[in-house]
């Protein structure tokens, strides 16, 4: 994509017929670059850009990166809330930059943008997702079956599908896990996302690995560390009822144990 | 433009990270169920205790050595108070254990806090149990007006 400045700053204030109203917005971005003169220190950096009512935080970040400071680093891929790359802490809450309209986060004041918490920062808004994916892998996020492979697809009733529908929506953005205060403490807790994705298979009628998955999550660092603070449910950009899914996994363990 | 700023709640962005070995087992499951079960029982025990001590009869004005002495000479109240002591102490200790696990960031801090916690609650439980069972409602030579009526059988 080529970045072209459509209206050079000199002629912008002239109001044209049919022009889309625009406003100036300031982004206060938490930056970290160990190779810069700041070393291991994180700093706040402010940028002001002109934006439109339809612009999202991601558009503002693009504008900064393409027009003001090419060193600003963040992840994004789909830009439409599907890939889960751009979870960040916007005005103190975890959201996807590509699903957050500037006008919804009070553009009258500087909008703070920070990397998600609890995962090691690599540069600026980019964090090391490996710990997050490590606990995701631990719950075996794949179909486990026994016997012969069927020659056609594995059928399931609409009700059986409905049972775990909510947790199939996860895009692995880590907004939930990195909003959880228990995860912040020492990062040992499996975290809501791993439990959500275990739930997706535990309650799937076609899957036979529920016992193993329950065993894995019946851990000192498993579901029992959940304190039901609901941060995860509030953070999830897919609207998954994360806390409810965790409670359902807890209940399955209790019915198994007694 | 760039200014140095305060550290955020999560320190050093590049702190080393490693997930530990699995620690599977039913302990945390039982602990979770115990918190709920003991909570329900405590609801009855604590509010029953408060009601009998503060509301029934003369209410709070009746509480003195004789009142307590009288209660503890009945096996019913001995068992009630013993249950309340043990459940509240185990429930409270387990709750604080959870809080320590949630807030202590280093294993050494966690260890020290838990040793102190278990030490304190063991002392309280032993001392409390001892008092409930070895309590003498009628110590010899005590002034008669301070003693419960059961000390004067006839
Ligand atoms: C009156 C009846 C009581 C009920 C119904 C009750 C219920 C509960 C429940 C369900 C929890 C678990 C919360 C969680 O896992 O997130 C809890 C935690 C706790 N309880 Fe109780 N409890 C009662 C009395 C007590 C008493 C008498 C004490 C102190 C000796 C106490 C101290 C604690 C502590 C320290 C926690 C941990 C707090 C936390 O995990 O956030 N509770 N209680
Ligand atoms: S449950 Fe929601 S917040 Fe958590 S990783 Fe999945 S999509 Fe993101
Ligand atoms: S960029 Fe893909 S979810 Fe936001």
């Amino acid at each position: 994509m080529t970045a072209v400045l459509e209206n050079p700053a000199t002629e912008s204030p002239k109001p044209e017929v049919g022009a889309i109203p625009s406003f100036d917005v300031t982004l206060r971005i938490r930056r970290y670059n160990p190779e810069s003169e700041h070393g291991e220190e994180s700093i706040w950096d402010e940028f002001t850009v002109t934006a439109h009512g339809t612009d999202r935080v991601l558009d503002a970040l693009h504008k900064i990166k393409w027009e003001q400071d090419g060193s600003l680093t963040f992840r994004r891929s789909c830009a439409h809330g599907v890939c889960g790359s751009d979870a960040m802490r916007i005005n103190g809450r975890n959201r996807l930059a590509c699903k957050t309209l500037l006008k919804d986060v009070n553009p009258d004041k500087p909008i703070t943008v920070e990397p998600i918490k609890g995962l090691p920062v690599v540069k600026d808004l980019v964090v090391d997702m490996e710990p997050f994916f490590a606990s995701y892998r631990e719950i075996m996020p794949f179909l486990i079956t026994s016997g012969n492979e069927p020659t056609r697809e594995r059928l399931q009733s609409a009700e059986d599908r409905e049972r775990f529908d909510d947790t199939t929506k996860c895009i692995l953005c880590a907004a939930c896990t990195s909003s959880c205060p228990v995860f912040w403490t020492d990062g040992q807790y499996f975290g809501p996302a791993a439990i959500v994705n275990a739930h997706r298979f535990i309650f799937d009628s076609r899957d036979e690995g529920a016992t193993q998955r329950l065993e894995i999550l019946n851990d000192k660092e498993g579901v029992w560390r959940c304190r039901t603070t609901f941060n995860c449910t509030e953070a999830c950009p897919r609207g998954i009822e994360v806390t409810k899914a965790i409670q359902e996994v807890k209940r399955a363990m209790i019915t198994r144990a007694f | 433009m760039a200014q140095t700023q305060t550290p955020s709640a999560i320190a050093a962005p590049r702190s080393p990270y490693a997930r530990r070995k699995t620690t599977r087992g039913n302990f945390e499951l039982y602990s979770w169920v115990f918190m709920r079960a003991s909570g329900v029982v405590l609801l009855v025990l604590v509010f029953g205790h408060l009601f009998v001590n503060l509301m029934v009869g003369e209410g709070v004005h009746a509480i003195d050595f004789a009142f307590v002495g009288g209660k503890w000479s009945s096996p019913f109240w001995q068992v009630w108070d013993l249950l309340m002591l043990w459940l509240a102490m185990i429930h409270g200790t387990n709750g604080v254990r959870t809080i320590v696990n949630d807030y202590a960031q280093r294993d050494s801090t966690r260890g020290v806090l838990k040793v102190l916690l278990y030490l304190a609650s063991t002392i309280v439980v032993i001392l409390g149990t001892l008092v409930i069972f070895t309590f003498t409602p009628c110590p010899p030579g005590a002034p008669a007006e301070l003693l419960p009526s059961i000390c004067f059988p006839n």
Side-chain angles (χ1 to χ4, degrees):
Chain A
M1 188 171 188
T2 36
V4 184
L5 258 170
E6 281 175 6
N7 3 297
T10 44
E11 54 180 67
S12 60
K14 195 169 29 152
E16 286 168 40
V17 180
I20 306 165
S22 63
F23 53 90
D24 277 358
V25 59
T26 301
L27 266 67
R28 206 159 170 265
I29 302 174
R30 185 103 179 143
R31 304 197 61 180
Y32 170 74
N33 181 0
E35 288 160 14
S36 72
E37 78 268 26
H38 302 290
E40 288 298 318
E41 194 94 45
S42 285
I43 55 147
W44 288 104
D45 215 350
E46 286 193 8
F47 300 94
T48 302
V49 293
T50 305
H52 300 113
T54 49
D55 280 343
R56 306 153 300 167
V57 173
L58 182 65
D59 297 307
L61 290 174
H62 277 155
K63 241 180 160 190
I64 295 166
K65 185 170 177 70
W66 294 338
E67 297 169 11
Q68 297 187 25
D69 183 349
S71 74
L72 179 67
T73 307
F74 55 91
R75 280 198 191 101
R76 71 97 175 83
S77 181
C78 68
H80 292 85
V82 182
C83 70
S85 308
D86 62 343
M88 44 190 83
R89 206 169 144 90
I90 299 165
N91 278 354
R93 279 187 56 187
N94 283 1
R95 315 168 200 247
L96 294 180
C98 64
K99 277 186 86 174
T100 309
L101 287 174
L102 288 165
K103 70 176 178 63
D104 291 342
V105 284
N106 189 13
D108 299 337
K109 281 198 268 177
I111 296 168
T112 61
V113 182
E114 300 161 80
I116 46 177
K117 277 179 186 275
L119 291 164
V121 179
V122 178
K123 187 182 174 190
D124 293 350
L125 303 173
V126 174
V127 298
D128 179 5
M129 296 281 278
E130 181 45 33
F132 172 80
F133 287 123
S135 50
Y136 173 61
R137 282 194 298 269
E138 266 184 70
I139 56 98
M140 307 190 293
F142 41 80
L143 189 77
I144 298 173
T145 59
S146 58
N148 293 329
E149 287 283 304
T151 51
R152 52 196 296 232
E153 64 270 49
R154 299 169 195 273
L155 294 179
Q156 184 171 45
S157 72
E159 297 80 65
D160 282 348
R161 178 61 177 71
E162 182 56 34
R163 181 66 193 87
F164 62 96
D165 184 67
D166 202 34
T167 45
T168 61
K169 298 172 188 160
C170 178
I171 56 172
L172 293 172
C173 64
C176 54
T177 296
S178 63
S179 75
C180 176
V182 175
F183 183 77
W184 291 342
T185 304
D186 58 4
Q188 297 301 316
Y189 174 38
F190 268 83
I195 302 170
V196 158
N197 287 280
H199 179 285
R200 183 249 169 276
F201 287 99
I202 290 168
F203 294 96
D204 186 336
S205 61
R206 298 164 297 187
D207 185 85
E208 291 167 28
T211 310
Q212 284 174 64
R213 284 188 253 268
L214 289 176
E215 207 113 281
I216 291 164
L217 289 175
N218 191 17
D219 188 291
K220 197 161 131 307
E221 306 293 346
V223 290
W224 307 113
R225 285 210 77 179
C226 168
R227 306 251 66 75
T228 36
T229 58
F230 282 90
N231 278 20
C232 50
T233 304
E234 269 181 39
C236 181
R238 305 303 314 261
I240 299 172
E241 293 180 281
V242 183
T243 312
K244 186 178 171 202
I246 299 174
Q247 299 314 303
E248 287 176 356
V249 174
K250 281 183 191 165
R251 182 173 303 166
M253 283 179 192
I254 288 171
T255 28
R256 206 173 61 109
F258 291 98
Chain B
M1 200 187 278
Q3 73 231 78
T4 309
Q5 257 292 334
T6 49
S8 65
I10 304 295
R14 262 199 175 168
S15 53
Y17 181 94
R19 269 192 75 80
R20 287 177 208 147
K21 284 212 304 267
T22 61
T23 38
R24 284 177 213 166
N26 277 340
F27 180 77
E28 295 294 334
L29 184 153
Y30 292 133
S31 142
W32 189 93
V33 173
F34 172 79
M35 287 310 268
R36 272 110 194 120
S38 61
V40 171
V41 180
L42 276 170
L43 223 50
V44 176
L45 291 175
V46 170
F47 286 100
H49 168 84
L50 290 176
F51 180 73
V52 168
N53 278 21
L54 309 179
M55 320 263 292
V56 173
E58 279 178 77
V60 65
H61 306 291
I63 295 186
D64 55 10
F65 182 86
F67 180 86
V68 178
K71 262 182 101 182
W72 276 346
S73 52
S74 138
F76 175 81
W77 287 112
Q78 276 189 332
V79 171
W80 183 292
D81 282 2
L82 188 76
L83 208 61
M84 192 161 68
L85 172 74
W86 278 69
L87 281 182
M89 285 308 294
I90 300 174
H91 176 104
T93 305
N94 195 36
V96 176
R97 180 186 71 93
T98 308
I99 294 172
V100 169
N101 280 343
D102 284 353
Y103 286 94
Q105 301 194 353
R106 278 179 300 148
D107 281 348
S108 49
T109 325
R110 206 170 273 177
V112 169
L113 287 174
K114 282 197 213 170
V115 167
L116 290 176
L117 171 68
Y118 298 148
L119 192 70
S121 66
T122 311
I123 291 174
V124 173
V125 167
I126 292 179
L127 212 61
T129 309
L130 218 63
V131 168
I132 292 175
F133 283 119
T134 60
F135 186 75
T136 356
C138 318
E145 70 271 19
L146 291 180
L147 297 179
S149 56
I150 47 154
C151 297
F152 313 100
N154 46 41

